[in-house]
Amino acid sequence: MTDLEVRPEELQALAALFGLGDPYPEYAKWRARQSVVRPHEKLFVFSRYEDCAAVLSSSAFGHAPREASPLRSLWRGTGQPAPAAPETASAADADAAVVTAQDNASNMLRLNPPDHTRLRRLASRALTPASVRALMPRIEAIAGELVGDLGPSFDVIRDVALPLPVRVISELLGIPEADRPMVVTWSEQLSRSIDPGFLITPENRVTMRAARDSFHDYLGALIPKRRREPGDDLVSALVHVHDEDGTLTEHEIIITCRLLLIAGHETTRSVIGGSVLALLNHPTQLAALRADPDLVERCVEEALRYDPPIQLLVRSALEDTTVGDTTVPAGARALMLLGAANRDEALGDDPEDFDFVRPARRHLSFGHGIHFCLGAPLGRAEAAIALRHLLPILAESRMTEPPVWKPHTVLRGLEHLRLTTTSG
């Protein structure tokens, strides 16, 4: 077992990764320097596939109660002022911390077994493979409508990649059409909450807090309606789902619905946009897909590997453990650079190439282990259907300006991808 030397200078290199439009050259340098880096006494950074997969699948890692994080040290590399220390925090911040703790206690992404097991089992009973299959005709219809409405100049994100999953998840949850723009705004504001805390400004926190409260009030009013008059939507299913361990509480339903709304469109939007951009940047791959559209699922899988919507994950060591030959003490954090791990040279030759014709490569884009994304089948299906409908147009399209990336770190995706058809 190896105890890694603490190397504070690596904090600067790690901070430099955040916010890059193209972080992959830096990821390659990071992997080449060392498979595991310890930039802080309580922080281990993993960038290779086997190490990241080992952390995500190990019961020795999970989610610890929130405490002063070693990630705060990265502020020195961002050029931003550090957030207020706990002793100078306001009463409003203290109240927000209590609400955040309550939310985390009902959020399956923040829980360990057995609480995570119970919540995931109940939620998965409402989002079954059969329910996803039943959605396929509706997803096809929405995608056909959106692509059919495209003019000679269009924005892939605004006109297809965003509205498709928004409509699907909103219909699945029974969100009325008139309420969807408001709900999407809250989702986008809350999506910053998965970024490292040191990259979230005080202004971001105020906006996120307001969005969280609005979501809570909105869903809190919707749940009693579904309890009195259940429909065939997911909220009704969550209200009435139960097993031998009981039912979901109202707060758990709210947090689960909020999670599904955010994850149900943000990551799918990123996968659709990333798939289109990769094809436009690799004309031979676009030609291969046009020649054989049945390869669309493989194309989506390669796009997930090549440019994952979730770039990093953090876990806490719940006990002294080892990853490979590295000792990780209890209480330390493991930061996994998924974008780097997906392009690990150990997974095959030419990992920097986008190539879905070759045999599929492993990736961690939907996570791994007990927290593997519950909505992965739906996200994959939506992306494949969208791409299939867009395919005839893409061969005749070109970018009118460079793609614009969202100002996020963990959740990577395009803000705009504006195209024009060559015949337009």
Side-chain angles (χ1 to χ4, degrees), residues 99-262:
V99 174
T100 299
Q102 293 171 340
D103 284 1
N104 288 341
S106 300
N107 185 340
M108 70 180 78
L109 295 185
R110 303 285 187 186
L111 294 174
N112 303 316
D115 296 319
H116 168 269
T117 308
R118 170 184 164 271
L119 274 178
R120 185 179 176 96
R121 181 174 61 245
L122 288 168
S124 65
R125 291 191 176 190
L127 190 62
T128 64
S131 67
V132 172
R133 286 194 298 272
L135 286 170
M136 294 302 103
R138 183 58 185 149
I139 299 172
E140 290 278 1
I142 296 171
E145 176 188 333
L146 293 171
V147 174
D149 288 341
L150 295 178
S153 296
F154 59 96
D155 185 334
V156 172
I157 308 302
R158 179 197 63 204
D159 297 326
V160 180
L162 176 59
L164 173 62
V166 165
R167 286 176 62 176
V168 171
I169 195 64
S170 296
E171 290 184 9
L172 188 60
L173 287 166
I175 304 297
E177 186 173 355
D179 296 342
R180 291 171 193 171
M182 173 179 63
V183 168
V184 169
T185 298
W186 297 336
S187 296
E188 292 181 341
Q189 291 168 343
L190 273 172
S191 65
R192 287 303 302 268
S193 65
I194 64 173
D195 274 354
F198 65 88
L199 289 176
I200 301 176
T201 66
E203 292 77 15
N204 291 151
R205 293 184 189 280
V206 171
T207 301
M208 287 161 45
R209 204 171 296 157
R212 180 198 61 210
D213 292 344
S214 297
F215 245 139
H216 192 284
D217 293 343
Y218 179 82
L219 293 170
L222 187 63
I223 288 169
K225 295 179 183 178
R226 296 295 185 267
R227 184 170 284 115
R228 293 191 303 269
E229 300 176 7
D232 57 0
D233 56 90
L234 189 53
V235 174
S236 296
L238 289 170
V239 167
H240 293 93
V241 72
H242 63 86
D243 64 9
E244 63 275 8
D245 293 329
T247 61
L248 290 167
T249 67
E250 182 166 312
H251 194 69
E252 288 170 343
I253 295 171
I254 289 173
I255 300 305
T256 301
C257 288
R258 195 174 76 190
L259 172 63
L260 291 171
L261 277 164
I262 296 172

Side-chain angles (χ1 to χ4, degrees), residues 21-24 27 31 266-275 278 300-313 336-344 351-352 354 362-367 405 408-414:
D22 181 10
Y24 296 102
Y27 284 155
R31 284 193 310 272
E266 284 285 349
T267 54
T268 304
R269 157 191 177 159
S270 297
V271 175
I272 295 172
S275 300
V300 168
E301 210 62 26
E302 173 69 348
L304 279 162
R305 180 201 71 83
Y306 185 72
D307 198 5
I310 302 295
Q311 288 283 300
L312 63 92
L313 291 173
M336 293 148 288
L337 297 172
L338 303 188
N342 279 1
R343 297 195 185 191
D344 190 339
E352 303 293 338
F354 174 78
R362 291 178 291 168
H363 65 75
L364 298 170
S365 300
F366 282 123
W405 295 93
H408 290 188
T409 300
V410 174
L411 190 61
R412 175 174 166 82
L414 290 165

